[in-house]
Amino acid sequence: MHELGIVLEVVKQVEEIARVNNLAKIDTLVLQIGELSSIVPYYIEELYPIAVEDSFLRDTLLRIETIPGIGECSSCGLSYHVKDSDYKCPDCKGSEWTVITGTEFMIKEILIESSGCQS
Ligand SMILES: [Zn+2]
């Protein structure tokens, strides 16, 4: 399981962004994870509270957006949802495909509460 290292790396990056931009607090951290990446969103969610426990992000919510894994069939050129089609082209049943989307892993957004008076 390599997810803990990944989460810690993300936390480090976000802390750095916060430091550079002088942010006092981050409300929500939005990550994008592609379905075809080797990263399992479930583990990221499980590990996140542990990773942020003693950090600047301990009150920051984590939101994960999943990017569908879309491939293009090498035989007929059809684009299809790879996982839903059991990694085979639904049209010609070819099992060779190239990735169009779904291998992403990135920090998509950092949301900061709009400056209100509430505490
Ligand atoms: Zn095909």
Side-chain angles (χ1 to χ4, degrees):
M1 192 165 70
H2 59 156
E3 277 83 1
L4 184 58
I6 293 163
V7 177
L8 291 171
E9 186 55 37
V10 166
V11 170
K12 222 165 74 184
Q13 280 183 36
V14 175
E15 279 181 331
E16 181 64 15
I17 294 166
R19 200 179 57 78
V20 170
N21 294 286
N22 232 339
L23 306 175
K25 183 177 183 288
I26 294 171
D27 286 294
T28 308
L29 164 65
V30 186
L31 295 180
Q32 278 190 329
I33 303 178
E35 272 181 350
L36 302 174
S37 76
S38 60
I39 298 157
V40 184
Y42 172 78
Y43 289 132
I44 300 287
E45 277 174 344
E46 288 285 293
L47 294 167
Y48 178 78
I50 301 161
V52 299
E53 211 170 32
D54 295 315
S55 83
F56 176 73
L57 299 179
R58 83 188 151 265
D59 296 321
T60 304
L61 292 174
L62 173 70
R63 202 161 79 207
I64 294 177
E65 289 180 3
T66 312
I67 314 262
I70 305 294
E72 188 183 271
C73 176
S74 304
S75 313
C76 71
L78 182 79
S79 299
Y80 62 99
H81 192 277
V82 183
K83 258 187 176 166
D84 280 4
S85 309
D86 206 17
Y87 300 90
K88 283 192 193 80
C89 175
D91 200 13
C92 73
K93 308 291 172 209
S95 54
E96 300 273 313
W97 48 274
T98 48
V99 173
I100 296 176
T101 62
T103 54
E104 302 79 355
F105 178 75
M106 56 184 274
I107 298 169
K108 189 202 172 199
E109 269 181 299
I110 289 171
L111 305 176
I112 305 150
E113 199 178 324
S114 50
S115 48
C117 302
Q118 291 123 332
S119 57

